[in-house]
Amino acid sequence: MKQTLLLFFLSISIISTIRAQSKPEKIAALVKYYSDEGLFNGSVLVAQKDEVIYKGAVGMANFEWNVPNTTNTRFRLGSITKQFTAMLIMQLVEEGKVRLDGKITDYLPNYRRETGEKVTIHHLLSHGSGIPNYTDDDSFFPNSGKYYRVHDFIKTYCSGDLEFEPGSRFNYSNSGYFILGAIIEAVSGNSYEKQLQVKVLDVVGMKNTGYDMHEYLIEARASGYEQKLEGYRNAAFLNMALPYSAGSLYSTVEDLHLWNQALYSNKLLGDSLKQKMFMGYLPMGGSMKSGYGWFIEKIPTQDSSKFINMIWHSGGINGFLTELARFPEEHNFIVVLDNTTGATTPLFRDIIAVLYDLPLESKKKTFANAVRKQIRASSVIAACDSFMALTETQRNEYDMAVAEYLLNRWGYERLREQKDAGGALKLFELNTKLFPHSSNVFDSYGEALGRIGKYEAAAENYKKSLEIDSSHKRRIQGIIDAFTYRPDTLRVKIDGHVMVLYKTGNKGPVVVLEAGGNSDHSCWSSIVPELSKVAIVITYDRPGYRDSEACSQSRTANRVAEELHQALNKSGISGPYIVGGWSWGGAFARAFAALYPAETKGLLLVDPATKESYAQMALKYPDEFTRLVITRSAINIAAQDEFDAMMPAMNQASRSDKLYKGKTELLIAGSLREWSASETPLKKIWISELQKWSKQQPNVRAQVVESGHFIQREKPEIVIAALKRLMGQ
């Protein structure tokens, strides 16, 4: 009894101590908690009624040199940059140089006219332009290490067809803010970097803020990291010219506090235009609306009639996450900067709760960190089995914050980077058990099951995903339909290395499809389901791609063709074949037809690379040719080996024309929209040389298609029609 009373009074004492903590102490405890749980590594500043009540940093700015983070550490801001871009635009509006109802083409006359005449500055600022977001483009991240001039980048990545009528809805678009940066340069006559420095940073006194470029020497700059299951890694390289006015700034928590204070004055902008920045324009879901470079949100309180008005934005860029919020009515301010792509949002939201005396759940060990520790101590499968066996009561002992996000991320890490399909499946399965009402966890589990050939189980998980959230019905239903014509995976050993082929369909002629450079068999996925209704379709991965083992043999066209022929024979797939090749794969397909003309019924070339095109490009535009072709980025060693063998491969393909005289279908991509201004002359040579080649060859049917280079994705029906002509249908 005495012991019970002692424990009772001790508990009362602990609770009283927690309640007695000041707000700065509570915030410090939160920062420590998230740091200890492996969810935060960075710097934080909190101000109440304009007075800084907490300022601190945890973890490392550089793990390799054991340099700690401080409140003077400079972090990349990512999309927090957008509020600075919006300010520069509004300053130009105040000066009468830009109108909010002005169109893109009023300031960038070379912009695509049919869309540029519809989109206003207001649409760009409020994310209502309808211009596709360039970071959603499949080709962006593979090219994110390259340098682009501003106008070239806009033509390549920010000039797509409008996804909706401008102003009709919200759709977050980095492209819109990139275009705003170009408008700032065109109207002001200064570079974006200089205009920012002169008109904002110097005025506010932000001496530790600037435009970040990899080659700059920046004092106290944090390194960016990704936290993997096995620990931290350096984040992937990103050419900082690409985020540009949508995300290329760096700063410190103290400088951002100066920025916040300046927004209460008129030193940067008059009140009337400043108010326009903070108005809510387009609904974003829930209680949020888009402003100009900011989001406007009403946070509910315990009193249903009262809300906390917050103006905020977050940011994410390779290795960094950021959160920044202003509360103008109370003059409160929060900024959270992280350099490990941890989980800043839970910490950020908890700090809001502390500032406004909102309910704050007691902190428990996080489920994600417990799983991570167990995996490192045993294995992925053992750890997942252990945590799946927990009772609901046992699970309630953990904080589930960010568990779904991290388990999903780790699953893809094991699937794509570690080639650990078993571990990935376990992580995705655990996520479905923990979060049965999440569409995304079933989508991810379905993808992993499909990757290893468990198509029925994959389809079932995709169906569950669709039942929970039908907003992605078209994409998911297409995946489910594809499983109806699912491939058989064939593994054969060629010269000591395993090659993987995929066979789809069971009747009709045999169609064998070669991928392009830097591409695997999935580049044909848009046409395989439909084509497999009338043909046996063979796609495959060349050595070094996906599950096909790398080999030491040269990557010339003849060598690739010989390997493919051996693989087909060992798989029991006999000809005659209709052979197709896209882009770089066109050279391999031509070589195959020449080496095995008796077994080749027809040849399909989809916007193929040729010796003649490359020769003319190199002759007339040597610098652009070197940048675009010779120094291209390879996704793996196998791709680099293929690029290194470019000239022998192209020469062999060119000589093959004398040996194969059968029917050929040639599809030429005629659109120039994905090529930058400096690259357009090279594309015109590409088109011209293919047309010239087709006229010199017997039995070639050429067609210029209004499409980008990836014709089989953009116009799959045209590719299928060409193959059917070769089949004789």
Side-chain angles (χ1 to χ4, degrees):
M1 182 66 178
K2 290 182 179 179
Q3 186 177 9
T4 303
L5 285 172
L6 179 61
L7 289 172
F8 173 76
F9 287 118
L10 184 59
S11 299
I12 292 294
S13 174
I14 292 171
I15 293 170
S16 299
T17 301
I18 292 172
R19 288 176 177 171
Q21 276 186 320
S22 66
K23 288 183 179 180
E25 289 171 331
K26 289 179 180 179
I27 295 169
L30 286 171
V31 171
K32 183 179 185 304
Y33 164 75
Y34 282 103
S35 174
D36 290 345
E37 289 297 306
L39 298 176
F40 178 65
N41 182 95
S43 184
V44 177
L45 184 144
V46 181
Q48 186 174 33
K49 296 180 180 179
D50 291 330
E51 294 296 325
V52 175
I53 64 169
Y54 176 82
K55 182 173 64 174
V58 292
M60 294 292 167
N62 187 292
F63 284 95
E64 292 152 302
W65 286 91
N66 290 318
V67 178
N69 276 319
T70 72
T71 54
N72 291 317
T73 300
R74 302 177 187 187
F75 295 79
R76 287 180 175 173
L77 299 181
S79 289
I80 285 178
T81 299
K82 291 179 174 66
Q83 56 200 246
F84 292 88
T85 299
M87 174 59 75
L88 292 175
I89 285 288
M90 297 303 281
Q91 288 175 337
L92 293 171
V93 171
E94 190 171 57
E95 294 170 14
K97 297 177 180 179
V98 169
R99 301 189 326 275
L100 288 173
D101 63 354
K103 308 296 195 298
I104 293 176
T105 46
D106 293 341
Y107 310 103
L108 302 178
N110 293 325
Y111 189 81
R112 182 180 175 183
R113 189 153 294 278
E114 67 270 28
T115 56
E117 289 180 342
K118 293 182 178 180
V119 178
T120 67
I121 300 300
H122 166 76
H123 294 146
L124 296 173
L125 286 167
S126 58
H127 295 287
S129 69
I131 297 171
N133 182 11
Y134 68 77
T135 52
D136 293 337
D137 189 310
D138 290 341
S139 68
F140 170 70
F141 284 104
N143 291 311
S144 61
K146 292 171 60 177
Y147 170 78
Y148 288 82
R149 288 174 292 188
V150 170
H151 67 279
D152 287 342
F153 188 87
I154 287 176
K155 183 171 182 179
T156 304
Y157 287 111
C158 306
S159 303
D161 297 337
L162 296 181
E163 296 178 323
F164 52 86
E165 188 64 25
S168 63
R169 63 185 176 90
F170 170 88
N171 189 44
Y172 192 82
S173 179
N174 287 298
S175 301
Y177 272 79
F178 196 103
I179 294 168
L180 287 171
I183 291 171
I184 290 167
E185 293 192 349
V187 173
S188 70
N190 290 327
S191 68
Y192 175 84
E193 181 179 1
K194 183 176 181 181
Q195 187 75 355
L196 175 75
Q197 189 68 50
V198 172
K199 302 293 286 186
V200 175
L201 304 184
D202 288 347
V203 176
V204 178
M206 299 174 70
K207 297 180 180 179
N208 296 311
T209 304
Y211 189 85
D212 197 350
M213 290 293 281
H214 174 73
E215 59 269 27
Y216 290 179
L217 297 179
I218 299 175
E219 184 181 352
R221 172 166 56 181
S223 298
Y225 300 94
E226 294 177 352
Q227 187 174 180
K228 304 290 185 177
L229 267 176
E230 65 274 14
Y232 292 111
R233 288 186 189 174
N234 288 307
F237 174 75
L238 172 68
N239 191 311
M240 291 301 289
L242 307 191
Y244 184 51
S245 49
S248 281
L249 299 193
Y250 68 84
S251 189
T252 67
V253 291
E254 293 181 331
D255 261 21
L256 290 169
H257 178 52
L258 293 176
W259 161 245
N260 170 62
Q261 290 296 302
L263 293 175
Y264 289 114
S265 71
N266 292 329
K267 63 172 67 173
L268 294 173
L269 191 67
D271 283 337
S272 61
L273 286 177
K274 197 162 46 183
Q275 288 173 5
K276 286 183 178 291
M277 293 180 66
F278 303 134
M279 291 176 64
Y281 295 102
L282 295 170
M284 297 169 55
S287 62
M288 291 191 292
K289 290 186 176 181
S290 62
Y292 290 173
W294 298 85
F295 301 144
I296 317 303
E297 181 177 357
K298 289 184 177 296
I299 301 174
T301 67
Q302 292 163 294
D303 183 343
S304 59
S305 65
K306 294 182 179 180
F307 294 88
I308 300 166
N309 294 313
M310 179 172 72
I311 302 170
W312 69 283
H313 210 290
S314 59
I317 197 166
N318 297 22
F320 295 86
L321 288 175
T322 58
E323 302 276 357
L324 182 149
R326 311 180 68 236
F327 304 85
E329 292 174 12
E330 302 85 7
H331 279 229
N332 293 341
F333 175 70
I334 302 170
V335 58
V336 178
L337 306 179
D338 178 280
N339 64 314
T340 59
T341 53
T344 53
T345 301
L347 170 59
F348 169 65
R349 294 286 169 168
D350 279 351
I351 293 173
I352 295 172
V354 169
L355 269 183
Y356 287 90
D357 298 315
L358 300 177
L360 182 65
E361 292 185 6
S362 60
K363 293 303 166 190
K364 301 176 281 190
K365 293 293 183 182
T366 62
F367 188 87
N369 199 37
V371 172
R372 176 166 42 208
K373 288 180 177 179
Q374 186 62 36
I375 287 173
R376 291 176 181 175
S378 55
S379 69
V380 174
I381 293 175
C384 289
D385 283 340
S386 173
F387 282 98
M388 274 194 278
L390 295 181
T391 65
E392 185 175 350
T393 301
Q394 289 171 321
R395 288 180 188 173
N396 288 337
E397 295 175 3
Y398 293 99
D399 187 332
M400 301 305 291
V402 304
E404 178 187 344
Y405 161 73
L406 287 176
L407 289 171
N408 204 60
R409 193 171 84 181
W410 296 337
Y412 279 112
E413 179 187 323
R414 305 307 292 187
L415 188 67
R416 296 170 179 170
E417 298 175 25
Q418 302 297 323
K419 308 294 185 184
D420 176 14
L425 288 174
K426 275 294 181 183
L427 286 161
F428 290 132
E429 182 186 1
L430 175 59
N431 232 4
T432 62
K433 303 298 183 187
L434 296 171
F435 304 100
H437 303 297
S438 168
S439 171
N440 186 60
V441 298
F442 289 102
D443 187 308
S444 299
Y445 193 23
E447 180 180 346
L449 288 164
R451 283 284 295 270
I452 65 168
K454 294 187 176 182
Y455 301 111
E456 291 183 8
E460 287 304 311
N461 277 276
Y462 276 118
K463 288 175 184 176
K464 288 180 182 177
S465 174
L466 202 54
E467 289 171 4
I468 297 168
D469 180 5
S470 61
S471 62
H472 300 291
K473 183 175 181 179
R474 183 176 179 182
R475 178 184 69 84
I476 294 178
Q477 191 61 55
I479 295 171
I480 294 171
D481 292 344
F483 289 140
T484 306
Y485 301 95
R486 57 183 179 268
D488 295 324
T489 302
L490 309 173
R491 299 176 183 273
V492 293
K493 185 166 283 190
I494 306 297
D495 292 344
H497 59 89
V498 174
M499 285 178 59
V500 181
L501 291 78
Y502 302 92
K503 177 185 175 185
T504 313
N506 52 27
K507 62 181 180 179
V510 179
V511 178
V512 181
L513 299 173
E514 274 282 3
N518 258 347
S519 299
D520 57 44
H521 75 280
S522 64
C523 72
W524 294 103
S525 60
S526 300
I527 70 166
V528 170
E530 184 65 26
L531 185 61
S532 64
K533 296 176 182 178
V534 295
I536 297 170
V537 185
I538 307 298
T539 56
Y540 83 109
D541 293 324
R542 295 190 293 271
Y545 289 86
R546 286 214 178 188
D547 295 331
S548 288
E549 295 175 355
C551 71
S552 58
Q553 300 289 338
S554 66
R555 299 289 86 208
T556 62
N558 285 349
R559 174 62 194 172
V560 170
E562 289 167 358
E563 289 174 341
L564 174 58
H565 189 257
Q566 291 179 52
L568 290 169
N569 286 338
K570 285 195 173 185
S571 300
I573 303 168
S574 57
Y577 310 108
I578 294 170
V579 182
W582 167 61
S583 189
W584 196 279
F588 304 146
R590 289 165 71 190
F592 186 99
L595 289 173
Y596 312 103
E599 298 176 68
T600 305
K601 181 181 179 182
L603 179 63
L604 170 70
L605 301 174
V606 181
D607 210 29
T610 66
K611 169 190 173 183
E612 294 76 17
S613 296
Y614 283 165
Q616 288 299 311
M617 290 177 182
L619 178 65
K620 295 181 179 179
Y621 302 96
D623 292 340
E624 283 300 320
F625 175 75
T626 298
R627 183 183 67 80
L628 185 66
V629 179
I630 302 300
T631 60
R632 71 182 72 187
S633 299
I635 62 170
N636 57 29
I637 295 174
Q640 188 60 57
D641 289 342
E642 290 178 356
F643 294 161
D644 291 342
M646 177 183 73
M647 290 318 298
M650 294 300 154
N651 286 331
Q652 289 170 356
S654 183
R655 290 194 294 268
S656 71
D657 297 337
K658 298 177 182 178
L659 301 173
Y660 172 73
K661 299 300 181 182
K663 289 185 178 181
T664 301
E665 289 277 341
L666 171 64
L667 302 178
I668 306 169
S671 173
L672 302 176
R673 61 179 171 75
E674 63 187 1
W675 294 68
S676 68
S678 60
E679 295 167 353
T680 297
L682 280 71
K683 177 57 178 175
K684 290 180 177 178
I685 289 174
W686 183 294
I687 295 171
S688 174
E689 288 299 320
L690 284 176
Q691 290 175 316
K692 188 186 301 182
W693 175 84
S694 69
K695 293 174 182 177
Q696 295 170 349
Q697 309 301 319
N699 301 320
V700 174
R701 181 186 185 278
Q703 179 181 356
V704 178
V705 183
E706 184 54 35
S707 167
H709 186 48
F710 221 130
I711 300 175
Q712 65 270 37
R713 269 191 191 161
E714 292 188 40
K715 300 292 177 67
E717 68 282 359
I718 290 178
V719 178
I720 291 173
L723 285 165
K724 286 184 175 180
R725 285 192 292 271
L726 292 172
M727 295 176 200
Q729 295 188 16

